[in-house]
């Protein structure tokens, strides 16, 4: 890939990161000044169980799918550019997900959940696998 194309791909990745952070961290009300007001939920899949019990299927699909699909581009880009092993890309994605979850807690913009870490990391893993299978 020539230099100009690499630069365009990099800019697209930066735009992707900005959009991802907008939807995960910098939501409406993030600047309310209530730092460290987020919550932790370490109970695995409890949010999904609650939504399922209320038959909120569209919300379950949105959250479950979004947490995976939203991180596939991260895996594709990092694997494609850095040429790291899939496990290394997956670990980098896990660390990025930890960063997002901690920022949600610090800024009070969401619930820090183990579910998100697992699903986000799965998305990065899938993206890395897609990148490897495409030969990039």
């Amino acid at each position: 890939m020539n230099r100009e194309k690499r630069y365009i791909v990099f800019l697209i990745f930066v735009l992707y990161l900005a959009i991802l952070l907008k939807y995960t961290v910098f939501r409406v009300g993030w600047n309310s000044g209530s730092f460290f007001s987020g919550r932790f939920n370490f109970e695995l899949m409890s949010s999904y169980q609650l939504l399922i019990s209320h038959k909120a299927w569209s919300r379950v699909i949105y959250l479950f799918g979004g947490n995976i699909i939203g991180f596939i581009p991260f895996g594709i880009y990092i694997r494609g550019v850095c040429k790291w092993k899939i496990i290394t890309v997956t670990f980098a994605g896990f660390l990025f997900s930890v960063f997002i979850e901690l920022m949600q807690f610090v800024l009070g913009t969401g619930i820090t959940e183990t579910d998100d870490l697992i699903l986000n990391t799965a998305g990065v893993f899938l993206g890395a696998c897609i990148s490897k299978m495409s030969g990039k």
Side-chain angles (χ1 to χ4, degrees):
M1 188 181 320
N2 68 30
R3 186 175 215 170
E4 185 176 298
K5 285 183 183 179
R6 285 173 108 131
Y7 183 70
I8 291 169
V9 169
F10 172 75
L11 288 179
I12 292 169
F13 183 69
V14 169
L15 178 63
Y16 152 76
L17 289 177
I19 292 168
L20 184 65
L21 290 172
K22 166 69 175 139
Y23 280 99
T24 58
V25 177
F26 301 110
R27 302 174 186 171
V28 175
W30 75 272
N31 58 356
S32 64
S34 53
F35 291 113
F36 296 98
S37 62
R39 296 180 292 149
F40 288 103
N41 178 8
F42 297 116
E43 206 174 318
L44 196 59
M45 298 297 170
S46 64
S47 297
Y48 293 102
Q49 291 171 358
L50 181 65
L51 291 169
I52 289 168
S53 72
H54 288 98
K55 297 184 181 2
W57 300 110
S58 61
R59 188 75 178 149
V60 169
I61 292 167
Y62 171 78
L63 291 173
F64 194 87
N67 277 319
I68 294 172
I69 293 168
F71 281 77
I72 289 174
F74 187 93
I76 291 172
Y77 180 81
I78 297 299
R79 170 74 175 79
V81 169
C82 299
K83 304 295 185 211
W84 292 346
K85 293 180 180 180
I86 290 174
I87 190 71
T88 307
V89 173
T90 303
F91 184 67
F94 171 77
L95 292 177
F96 182 60
S97 183
V98 167
F99 168 76
I100 287 173
E101 296 300 316
L102 289 176
M103 290 306 297
Q104 286 179 342
F105 173 76
V106 168
L107 298 175
T109 58
I111 301 171
T112 300
E113 296 186 280
T114 53
D115 302 346
D116 292 347
L117 289 173
I118 292 167
L119 296 172
N120 295 349
T121 303
V124 173
F125 174 77
L126 287 173
C129 289
I130 290 167
S131 178
K132 183 172 180 162
M133 288 187 313
S134 72
K136 300 200 176 197

